[in-house]
Amino acid sequence: QVQLFESGGGMVPTGGSLTLTCAASGFDFATTTMGWFRQAPGKEREFVAAVGWDGDNVYYSDAALGRFSITRDNAKNIVYLQLKNLKSEDTAVYTCAAPRLARIFARATQYSFYEYWGQGTQVTVSQ
């Protein structure tokens, strides 16, 4: 059974930082691309970042580029999303996701690419 569990969210002031963690189990993590998405109140879920199975390939949304960093530890089955210089518009529920197929990265920015989703962790940036 695939399980994805996010943690690390919280409330931070504008300009603050957080590191989100997604612990994965139930599939071959080391051969699977992982992604992070977010959904703000009243808005559609949007892609944030993705990392290929070996950690060498990454995608970022325009909003994340330069401020967020996605990394993974295949020995621990964990993917991280480091958030820096947070803005009020970053307030959202952040969710990690995994596709069903291994060793595919080309569609990692697409919502439809992912089969499995965690419950999410709330990030609130206060002004």
Side-chain angles (χ1 to χ4, degrees):
Q1 180 181 1
V2 173
Q3 291 188 319
L4 301 172
F5 181 75
E6 303 94 338
S7 61
M11 180 177 290
V12 295
T14 300
S17 300
L18 283 172
T19 297
L20 308 183
T21 297
C22 173
S25 62
F27 62 101
D28 190 354
F29 182 83
T31 63
T32 304
T33 289
M34 295 296 294
W36 282 95
F37 286 72
R38 69 184 184 183
Q39 188 168 19
K43 294 188 177 181
E44 295 289 319
R45 184 175 295 185
E46 64 174 353
F47 169 78
V48 177
V51 59
W53 58 92
D54 58 5
D56 288 344
N57 296 302
V58 294
Y59 282 137
Y60 293 102
S61 67
D62 288 344
L65 192 63
R67 298 188 300 125
F68 298 176
S69 177
I70 186 170
T71 57
R72 63 190 297 155
D73 185 338
N74 285 350
K76 297 180 178 179
N77 283 16
I78 292 176
V79 59
Y80 302 97
L81 184 66
Q82 186 177 31
L83 314 176
K84 293 183 177 180
N85 191 21
L86 284 161
K87 307 174 182 180
S88 58
E89 53 263 43
D90 296 318
T91 294
V93 175
Y94 286 71
T95 305
C96 69
R100 183 173 58 85
L101 300 177
R103 301 190 186 277
I104 297 177
F105 185 69
R107 296 174 50 228
T109 63
Q110 300 176 21
Y111 174 84
S112 61
F113 174 66
Y114 297 92
E115 181 84 10
Y116 307 106
W117 297 83
Q119 292 299 306
T121 186
Q122 176 72 46
V123 172
T124 302
V125 185
S126 59
Q127 294 182 332

